[in-house]
Amino acid sequence: MFEKRRARREAQIRHRRLMDAALDLVGYTGEWTASPADLIALVFGKHAIDVTEEEAGRYLDAARVSRGQRLHVAEYELEDQEQDEPTEEPQPVG
């Protein structure tokens, strides 16, 4: 019983530290540029927490959204969408 409570508390502390660091990196309005590598270095240096690049990216996205910013579609996703779209207008059959 105490193990579950302790694990939950540690997860809450870890989450709060990561969110606080991400919010610091994106700034008050969420417009500062920050990469997952920046967050990884910051939380390792301040709290000795190891974070994956994917997890750091999710925390930065959450921080930007909480500051009122919209998430931007990555350039490679835009290129994929442009390739999927037809280049000509479809012609009626018949």
Side-chain angles (χ1 to χ4, degrees):
M1 181 168 96
F2 292 113
E3 289 297 320
K4 287 182 183 179
R5 185 178 299 168
R6 189 179 62 128
R8 187 174 37 234
R9 179 72 181 138
E10 287 175 0
Q12 289 171 342
I13 291 170
R14 181 180 190 275
H15 174 75
R16 186 75 256 151
R17 286 179 177 171
L18 286 167
M19 270 311 290
D20 287 345
L23 289 167
D24 288 345
L25 285 174
V26 299
Y28 184 71
T29 59
E31 295 176 349
W32 294 352
T33 58
S35 70
D38 296 330
L39 182 60
I40 291 168
L42 181 63
V43 296
F44 183 77
K46 285 178 89 173
H47 306 292
I49 297 175
D50 285 323
V51 183
T52 64
E53 190 169 346
E54 180 182 341
E55 187 178 15
R58 288 193 315 244
Y59 274 99
L60 288 171
D61 288 345
R64 287 184 183 105
V65 169
S66 71
R67 295 289 198 215
Q69 294 295 314
R70 297 198 62 189
L71 296 181
H72 303 288
V73 178
E75 290 180 24
Y76 64 88
E77 291 178 2
L78 288 175
E79 291 173 3
D80 289 345
Q81 289 175 358
E82 289 172 0
Q83 291 174 0
D84 293 342
E85 295 175 1
T87 55
E88 299 177 7
E89 291 290 320
Q91 301 298 320
V93 176

